[in-house]
Structure formats: C-alpha cells, structure tokens
Amino acid sequence: MRGLLIFAVLFVAVLGKETFKGHQVLRITAKDEAQLALIKDLEDMIHFELDFWRGVTDVASPVDVRVPFHSLQSVKVYLETKAIQYTTMIEDLQTLLDMEQEEMEAAARAAGPRSTDSFDYSNYHTINEIYNFQDMLVRENPNLVSKIVIGQSYEGRPLSVLKFSTGGTNRPGLWIDTGIHSREWVTQASGTWFAKKIVTTYRSDRTLKAILNKMDIFLLIMTNPDGFAYTRTSDRMWRKTRKPNPGSSCVGVDPNRNWDAGFGGPGSSNDPCSQTYRGPCANSESEVRAIVDFVRSHGNLKSFVSIHSYSQMLLYPYGYTSTPAKDRAELHSLAKRAIKALDSLYGTRYRYGSIINTIYQASGGTIDWTYNQGIKYSYTFELRDTGSYGFLLPANQIIPTAQETWLALMAIMKHAYKTSD
C-alpha cells in the first residue's frame, strides 16, 4: 500500500512539472573582448528565454547557458554567424532530469530512516525529509545540537538553524549556509552530511573539539525553502525565492543579489523576470532579512560561509567593487590553504580569488555584506562540477563532494578559531 501511495504522489508531481525536453546546455567560448560583448548581448535577448548557468566573465572563462528547444536554432545561428565557438555540454536536459527522478523514486521506495544513522546521505531528499533529519539530529544529540528558528520564508516555512554548542553564553560563532539558490541541490545535501559529520566526529577530531569548546557553529541547510520545495514539485531549474512581484507575472527575487552591499549595481538586474533580479530594495526578502537580523543580533560571528554550486571555486569579497578587500592577502592565503586541503582527498581542482576577479561582478551578494559587517572570514563556495552535469550533479557525487568540502571548511574554521580573541 505504501508503495502505491508513493507512486501516486510521484505521478502527480511529475505531471505538474516543467518539462525541459530538447533543451540543451551550450558552452560558449569567446576568443576576444569583441566576441565576449556579443555573448553578453544574448542576456538581453529576452525572447530566447535563456538561462545562464555560468555567466559572462572574461575571455578565459566559458559561458554555460541553457537554451530552450524553441530557441536552439536561432541561438546557434547567431553564434555561428559571429564565428563564436560553442560545444554542447548537455544534449537533452530532460534526459538527465528523468535519470535523477528515477533515482529519487527508487530511494523513496525504501523505508524511512529511524535515526540519522540510517538516513541516506547519498541521495537527494525532499524538504520534509531534510526538516525531519534536523529534528532527529537534535533529539539524538541534545547536549550538542539545538534548533533555532530565525524566521520564516514568504510561504511560511521555517528558517531552521542548527546550533552546535558545548555550552556557554556570548561565544564567538561560525556560520555555514547552503541552498540559497534552490536548484543547487548538492549544497543542501552536503549540508545534511556536514551536520552528521559534526556530531559523529566531535569527540574524536581534536581540532573540531577544540573549536566547539570555544565557539558555536551555526548551520542553515534550507536557506531558500520555498524555492527548494518548488524545484521538487514544479520546476527543477528554479533559482529564486517565490514571493510574487507586484506589477509582474514573474515570481521571485535572487536572494544573492538582495543584500545591502552595492545593492542595485552591476551584476544584478532590475527586471523581475531575470534570474538575477535584485528585488525592490535591499533585504526585501524575508529569507535574507532573517539572516541579516541574526548576524546583527549575534554580533560575534568570526566566519561566514555560503555554499553554492557549480564551478569548483572558493571566493572571497568583493563582488560589487573592484576595490580589493582590506584583508585580501590573508583571505587569499587562507583560500589557498583550504583548497589544498580539499584537493588532497580526490584531487578535485578549484580556482580561488575575489568574486569580481574570479567569476563575475555581482552586486548585493551575501558575503560582501557579511564582510562589511566585520566578519573577516567571509567566503562563498561553488561546489562540483565544472559543467558536465551543472546543477544536476548525480547523487553518487554527493558524499565525495561533501567530504572534500568539509576539509576546506575545517581549514577556514580552524583559522578563525586560532585568530579569534
């Protein structure tokens, strides 16, 4: 009976989902600045309905863009007439989505976990399964883990932060969040693995124990819960929040363009239909405002790490200005050390540097704001991969991704611990 119910739910969900049959992901490469400008022009060709997975940065960096089937011929003709090189990274996006769906259906047929020990960290989960995981973790580890609800999403879902603490008041803190862009599923999945990693290795890992004996770790796994729920039920490629925009049929704001750090500048859009729509004003999104309020009320966070995918990068401020951060040398040195630790496990190669010099100019971003609040060790990760699967990273890469990322996180947290007052 349970199997029939699961099948019925999945069947209804699939029927209501956006389909991407025939959509391709193209990797476009410019040979000079003139071609780069022509590629940039594609962003303004709204009728093509393009979805830029990796935006326009510099000549050395390729651009990945999802092209709907109805625009494929026109986009390819445009590129070919301009002699711009491109390759097809993903031949048919729906084929990958179907494979992902089959894996999730197989996982759903298994019995639900009775504890966090039996939770399946090697598969993608629903929002309720992740919420239930958090509750189980708190119940199992009452002396180490608690849950703080710092706010609600637009649709009323809780913004639940896991607090890892050995006790005490007014202690310095370390922040990690995942899933601010909802379609980046490997980030939320990695967040659940990080949470379990902390409770299972706290007593045996001397460094982690020393950190937690002095500092608290705060982990927000579901940073954009409405968007994530929507990726499961309706549109796997959804990135933004889900609050309606007055005067527009387009929904949502890019929560990583909504912070009060160069808000409204280059690298964000004033078009509600854009994937990088910044919103009507800084902190307009309740999901962003809740974190802002928490950071201000806590007042003693020593590091702030926001985790995205994809591209395999570790980034530090700034994104909205080319003016170097005053701590650039230290941030760069620590990023280098963190990436060396990450690389040591599976040989995964990452780039690192400031946002504006490594990926692109982006205004209103999370870590630019946190850095300006005095949180020196503010970083953004872009996890696996470099484009073969993009946002559709196979589930069998979740644990390896989380494992290697944890090594880099530990390098950052250890440095913050050693340099804190």
Side-chain angles (χ1 to χ4, degrees), residues 150 161 173-177 218 220 259 287-305 366-367 369-375 378:
I150 63 170
V161 175
L174 308 166
W175 173 280
I176 303 167
D177 67 60
F218 299 93
L220 177 56
W259 301 72
E287 298 85 351
V288 171
R289 194 164 57 251
I291 301 174
V292 167
D293 291 344
F294 177 84
V295 169
R296 285 176 169 158
S297 64
H298 186 281
N300 197 20
L301 292 179
K302 299 302 182 183
S303 73
F304 191 107
V305 179
T366 309
I367 66 165
W369 182 82
T370 59
Y371 182 77
N372 284 345
Q373 299 305 301
I375 306 174
S378 290

Side-chain angles (χ1 to χ4, degrees), residues 176-229:
I176 303 167
D177 67 60
T178 62
I180 194 168
H181 287 148
S182 47
R183 65 187 176 185
E184 298 166 6
W185 281 9
V186 72
T187 70
Q188 299 97 333
S190 294
T192 61
W193 189 94
F194 298 154
K196 183 62 173 177
K197 179 70 171 178
I198 293 171
V199 301
T200 53
T201 61
Y202 156 63
R203 297 193 185 281
S204 59
D205 185 322
R206 292 173 59 186
T207 301
L208 182 59
K209 188 172 185 177
I211 291 170
L212 281 170
N213 283 342
K214 181 181 178 182
M215 312 176 85
D216 299 332
I217 298 175
F218 299 93
L219 172 59
L220 177 56
I221 296 174
M222 202 56 64
T223 308
N224 179 7
D226 297 348
F228 181 74

Side-chain angles (χ1 to χ4, degrees), residues 223-240:
T223 308
N224 179 7
D226 297 348
F228 181 74
Y230 195 73
T231 65
R232 296 289 307 211
T233 60
S234 304
D235 182 349
R236 175 63 179 85
M237 292 295 103
W238 191 259
R239 164 186 167 102
K240 300 189 289 183

Side-chain angles (χ1 to χ4, degrees), residues 93-147:
L93 187 62
Q94 191 61 44
T95 300
L96 287 185
L97 289 169
D98 291 343
M99 291 169 59
E100 184 179 70
Q101 183 66 33
E102 288 170 10
E103 286 186 354
M104 291 189 297
E105 288 178 17
R109 287 192 286 270
R114 294 178 178 271
S115 71
T116 59
D117 288 339
S118 58
F119 187 85
D120 187 357
Y121 299 92
S122 63
N123 269 304
Y124 293 114
H125 291 274
T126 67
I127 189 168
N128 286 334
E129 288 169 344
I130 294 173
Y131 281 152
N132 289 338
F133 161 83
Q134 293 181 119
D135 290 339
M136 282 193 295
L137 194 75
V138 172
R139 286 196 303 270
E140 293 167 5
N141 304 274
N143 296 322
L144 182 63
V145 192
S146 58
K147 185 174 75 173

Side-chain angles (χ1 to χ4, degrees), residues 81-100:
T81 55
K82 310 293 186 186
I84 299 172
Q85 290 189 341
Y86 69 89
T87 57
T88 303
M89 294 292 289
I90 298 176
E91 189 71 36
D92 186 343
L93 187 62
Q94 191 61 44
T95 300
L96 287 185
L97 289 169
D98 291 343
M99 291 169 59
E100 184 179 70

Side-chain angles (χ1 to χ4, degrees), residues 18 20 56 122 131 151 153 165 187 206 208 219-220 244 299 326 330 339 357 385 387:
E18 183 87 14
F20 296 90
V56 178
S122 63
Y131 281 152
S153 67
S165 179
T187 70
R206 292 173 59 186
L208 182 59
L219 172 59
L220 177 56
K326 68 181 188 323
E330 185 182 359
I339 291 314
N357 290 327
D385 58 4

Side-chain angles (χ1 to χ4, degrees), residues 165-397:
S165 179
T166 55
T169 57
N170 301 318
R171 304 205 316 170
L174 308 166
W175 173 280
I176 303 167
D177 67 60
T178 62
I180 194 168
H181 287 148
S182 47
R183 65 187 176 185
E184 298 166 6
W185 281 9
V186 72
T187 70
Q188 299 97 333
S190 294
T192 61
W193 189 94
F194 298 154
K196 183 62 173 177
K197 179 70 171 178
I198 293 171
V199 301
T200 53
T201 61
Y202 156 63
R203 297 193 185 281
S204 59
D205 185 322
R206 292 173 59 186
T207 301
L208 182 59
K209 188 172 185 177
I211 291 170
L212 281 170
N213 283 342
K214 181 181 178 182
M215 312 176 85
D216 299 332
I217 298 175
F218 299 93
L219 172 59
L220 177 56
I221 296 174
M222 202 56 64
T223 308
N224 179 7
D226 297 348
F228 181 74
Y230 195 73
T231 65
R232 296 289 307 211
T233 60
S234 304
D235 182 349
R236 175 63 179 85
M237 292 295 103
W238 191 259
R239 164 186 167 102
K240 300 189 289 183
T241 61
R242 290 295 302 162
K243 187 170 74 174
N245 293 306
S248 174
S249 61
C250 296
V251 172
V253 165
D254 180 345
N256 198 37
R257 301 293 186 276
N258 192 236
W259 301 72
D260 193 10
F263 177 81
S268 67
S269 174
N270 63 359
D271 178 2
C273 298
S274 168
Q275 293 280 25
T276 58
Y277 176 52
R278 64 194 178 219
C281 61
N283 306 334
S284 64
E285 303 308 283
S286 59
E287 298 85 351
V288 171
R289 194 164 57 251
I291 301 174
V292 167
D293 291 344
F294 177 84
V295 169
R296 285 176 169 158
S297 64
H298 186 281
N300 197 20
L301 292 179
K302 299 302 182 183
S303 73
F304 191 107
V305 179
S306 189
I307 299 182
H308 294 245
S309 73
Y310 64 98
S311 288
Q312 295 175 197
M313 297 178 182
L314 179 55
L315 308 168
Y316 52 80
Y318 284 111
Y320 73 90
T321 176
S322 58
T323 302
K326 68 181 188 323
D327 303 294
R328 181 200 171 278
E330 185 182 359
L331 291 170
H332 194 79
S333 175
L334 178 54
K336 181 179 181 179
R337 193 155 70 248
I339 291 314
K340 184 178 180 181
L342 184 152
D343 175 79
S344 70
L345 191 59
Y346 297 112
T348 308
R349 297 300 180 88
Y350 267 59
R351 295 166 60 197
Y352 56 91
S354 66
I355 297 168
I356 195 168
N357 290 327
T358 309
I359 184 166
Y360 43 58
Q361 186 169 16
S363 301
T366 309
I367 66 165
D368 284 356
W369 182 82
T370 59
Y371 182 77
N372 284 345
Q373 299 305 301
I375 306 174
K376 183 194 291 189
Y377 306 112
S378 290
Y379 287 96
T380 288
F381 278 88
E382 295 283 353
L383 303 185
R384 294 187 187 187
D385 58 4
T386 55
S388 297
Y389 295 98
F391 302 120
L392 303 178
L393 195 70
N396 62 14
Q397 292 195 44

